[in-house]
Amino acid sequence: MKLFITALAALVLFTTIPVRANAGPLKINVAEFNVSGVPNNDSLKQTLQGILTSRLSPDLVQLVEKPDQAEILVIGSYAQFGKMFSMDVLIKDKGNSSLTKVFEQGEGQEDVLPAIGRLARKIDTELAKRTVTTTSPSPSPAASQIPGQNNYTVRDTTPAQGAADSWSSAPLNGVFSSIAMGRTHSSGERELFVAGEQTIRAYLKGSELRLVAEITIPASGKILAIDTADLDRDGSPELYVTIIDREAASSRVYQFNGTAFVMIAEKLPWFFRGIGNEVTSRTIYAQEIENGVSYYGDVKELTKSNARFTAINPLRLPRTANIFNFNRLSGVKGKNNVVVLNEDGYLVIYSPEGSEVWKSSEKFGGSESFFKSEIRTHARSTRDLDRWMFLEQRIMLLKEGTVIVPRNEGTLSFGNIRAFDKYALFAFDWTGAVLKEKWHTRLSPGYLADYAVDQTSREVLLLEVVKKPGLFDKRTTVISINKID
């Protein structure tokens, strides 16, 4: 039963409703659920109450603690019959004594949380009927822009293939966690690389997305990230693949010749991250790990001479920085400040000397990508045989200095379980004193696994996981492209 409650508390699904005007939120009291058909139902009563409450739209709902303070009472029940379950809710309007019933049912524990999400949407719909006086006009299918100096163009409907400012691929079977760009050919086709845990694919993006090559790594390994750069400046960029294999870094470097991957190095002892505006001038940074899970030593620059790679020039970074969570900002007198997305999700700016000069009040980032190691000393203190380390989202800088960082939402992170179902991109200017927001995109459904920026075309490429595991659904991934105006 404890595992069941843990699974329930692990995820959050947010609901989307029309924007309302001239109507305040309703005062709502959500009662503890009546539970039958499961053992230890006292614990589940409050768990279901809390999860449903978190899904109700804050635009519609003002939660109150006591029923006599409420305008609307929400009374729920959960009944389990073998593998099947049913959740039923009675919505009672104290003002006119009207009653409305809504329900959801499903099969298996993995469908409980999606069912609560669906149930919350039905409740929101019923509440909206009671409060909407005027409704904002529906967005037109034309491009919608967030006001700002540099606008990010998005569409409220799926754009047509080949649209000038927005494009989305057909779903790719499977889940991919990392994306990188290669060369742009004279034909206008662009090389795109995506990677999952054991697979790397090469695509050509012209008017359509065309699969060109695919390779896999040994089953004992796991791909954490991919990056591209032309370190020896020979006009043929390399693909840097961060791999962990049996608790040790065992990374690889490939070149793509247009039709196939050619491995030029393997079993390299570093994790990689590419930082820089263009593939031709990008720097690859490297860092070692120890004990299968801890970052070790300094972050250094990677150099290439034929098939030989060396890590040199250690960076002076804050203690909270690692290979996956930092970038460098231009500062006064040619010195670089460092921006770090720390383990709690806050953006922090450090001076060249390492002192903290600014910290965000909101959280950003959020990643489901991780590596882990079995460490017995850790197990004794936490009762978990595995120690988990989550990668962070990239912090990107545009040529003019704009800082780009994503935010994934939609989870109650519980232990090592993470799942996100909404995301947005944020852009900031560093004034020398604060990071000042320039724009952000609308909140979009799905989990943003990774992204890349094409500085030449001023486009952002998004790697979106658009389905989550369910009883019948498989996870799929979509590549989408949007303009930065």
Side-chain angles (χ1 to χ4, degrees):
M1 186 61 198
K2 290 182 179 179
L3 291 175
F4 178 54
I5 295 174
T6 298
L8 284 173
L11 309 174
V12 159
L13 300 174
F14 289 93
T15 56
T16 303
I17 59 168
V19 177
R20 299 178 301 108
N22 302 326
L26 291 164
K27 294 181 179 179
I28 305 292
N29 175 264
V30 180
E32 289 186 1
F33 271 60
N34 295 312
V35 177
S36 61
V38 296
N40 301 323
N41 57 17
D42 287 341
S43 298
L44 192 56
K45 290 178 180 179
Q46 292 184 351
T47 301
L48 291 169
Q49 176 195 31
I51 295 175
L52 177 63
T53 299
S54 69
R55 287 158 172 72
L56 297 176
S57 169
D59 289 336
L60 288 171
V61 168
Q62 178 187 341
L63 296 173
V64 295
E65 186 177 357
K66 298 179 180 180
D68 58 7
Q69 299 171 329
E71 301 170 80
I72 303 288
L73 302 178
V74 176
I75 305 166
S77 65
Y78 175 93
Q80 187 167 315
F81 312 94
K83 292 185 178 181
M84 298 295 297
F85 65 84
S86 178
M87 283 183 284
D88 299 79
V89 165
L90 177 68
I91 304 171
K92 184 176 181 181
D93 191 328
K94 292 173 64 176
N96 55 24
S97 299
S98 67
L99 300 174
T100 304
K101 295 181 179 180
V102 294
F103 73 94
E104 277 292 334
Q105 60 188 37
E107 181 178 355
Q109 293 183 9
E110 66 273 16
D111 197 35
V112 172
L113 290 170
I116 294 179
R118 298 191 298 268
L119 187 65
R121 285 193 288 272
K122 290 183 178 181
I123 295 172
D124 282 340
T125 299
E126 293 299 325
L127 296 179
K129 293 177 182 177
R130 289 163 167 78
T131 59
V132 172
T133 56
T134 61
T135 303
S136 299
S138 300
S140 68
S144 171
Q145 297 182 336
I146 307 298
Q149 184 177 0
N150 287 345
N151 292 327
Y152 175 97
T153 302
V154 295
R155 285 183 178 269
D156 296 295
T157 59
T158 301
Q161 295 288 328
D165 53 8
S166 189
W167 173 89
S168 183
S169 73
L172 313 178
N173 291 330
V175 176
F176 296 89
S177 57
S178 192
I179 188 170
M181 293 187 301
R183 297 165 295 188
T184 299
H185 295 281
S186 58
S187 63
E189 290 184 309
R190 180 164 45 193
E191 294 173 347
L192 301 181
F193 305 103
V194 298
E197 290 192 358
Q198 259 94 36
T199 303
I200 307 171
R201 290 182 183 175
Y203 289 93
L204 280 180
K205 166 62 178 73
S207 58
E208 300 177 350
L209 191 67
R210 179 162 55 93
L211 178 62
V212 179
E214 180 174 338
I215 56 171
T216 58
I217 66 168
S220 58
K222 178 180 180 179
I223 298 171
L224 300 178
I226 58 174
D227 286 275
T228 51
D230 184 8
L231 291 192
D232 54 10
R233 308 298 189 247
D234 65 354
S236 180
E238 307 87 38
L239 181 68
Y240 293 84
V241 185
T242 296
I243 299 173
I244 189 165
D245 191 337
R246 287 163 286 199
E247 303 187 359
S250 185
S251 298
R252 296 183 174 189
V253 181
Y254 292 90
Q255 281 191 318
F256 181 66
N257 63 15
T259 59
F261 291 99
V262 179
M263 186 168 64
I264 58 177
E266 62 177 332
K267 298 181 181 178
L268 298 176
W270 305 291
F271 286 175
F272 301 128
R273 178 65 99 199
I275 293 180
N277 290 326
E278 305 287 351
V279 173
T280 54
S281 59
R282 183 171 300 141
T283 300
I284 296 292
Y285 290 99
Q287 188 174 25
E288 298 180 62
I289 63 167
E290 63 177 354
N291 298 327
V293 73
S294 300
Y295 298 107
Y296 174 73
D298 295 319
V299 174
K300 301 178 181 179
E301 294 182 24
L302 195 70
T303 64
K304 177 180 182 291
S305 177
N306 297 320
R308 180 181 175 84
F309 294 87
T310 308
I312 63 172
N313 299 333
L315 298 183
R316 183 178 179 181
L317 295 176
R319 180 183 53 82
T320 56
N322 63 63
I323 187 67
F324 294 119
N325 72 349
F326 84 99
N327 208 321
R328 306 172 79 186
L329 300 173
S330 296
V332 295
K333 298 180 181 179
K335 294 184 177 181
N336 288 316
N337 295 306
V338 177
V339 55
V340 173
L341 191 53
N342 71 18
E343 63 181 4
D344 295 320
Y346 294 101
L347 284 169
V348 186
I349 305 294
Y350 294 90
S351 71
E353 293 72 32
S355 61
E356 180 181 315
V357 297
W358 183 86
K359 183 177 180 180
S360 68
S361 59
E362 296 182 87
K363 293 185 178 183
F364 297 91
S367 171
E368 296 178 12
S369 296
F370 66 91
F371 58 101
K372 62 182 180 179
S373 174
E374 184 176 305
I375 301 177
R376 295 297 174 182
T377 56
H378 179 75
R380 285 196 295 270
S381 62
T382 66
R383 298 182 181 180
D384 187 349
L385 290 179
D386 295 327
R387 183 179 177 188
W388 298 50
M389 291 288 287
F390 285 88
L391 280 62
E392 253 310 344
Q393 293 285 343
R394 299 177 192 270
I395 303 172
M396 304 279 282
L397 266 68
L398 301 183
K399 291 179 180 179
E400 65 271 18
T402 299
V403 179
I404 307 276
V405 64
R407 177 195 286 164
N408 278 305
E409 298 183 4
T411 180
L412 283 177
S413 294
F414 193 91
N416 295 317
I417 301 173
R418 291 186 179 187
F420 300 97
D421 61 8
K422 286 183 174 63
Y423 73 90
L425 278 180
F426 290 76
F428 300 91
D429 271 339
W430 173 240
T431 68
V434 298
L435 274 181
K436 185 176 181 181
E437 184 180 323
K438 295 179 66 175
W439 51 258
H440 66 268
T441 67
R442 61 185 171 91
L443 201 61
S444 299
Y447 161 58
L448 181 62
D450 197 10
Y451 72 107
V453 174
D454 188 328
Q455 295 280 353
T456 303
S457 63
R458 295 193 64 80
E459 292 175 320
V460 60
L461 288 73
L462 307 175
L463 190 67
E464 306 167 82
V465 179
V466 294
K467 283 190 177 181
K468 292 292 183 182
L471 189 62
F472 303 108
D473 293 331
K474 295 182 180 180
R475 301 179 82 185
T476 59
T477 309
V478 166
I479 300 172
S480 60
I481 302 174
N482 292 279
K483 277 280 189 183
I484 304 174
D485 286 348

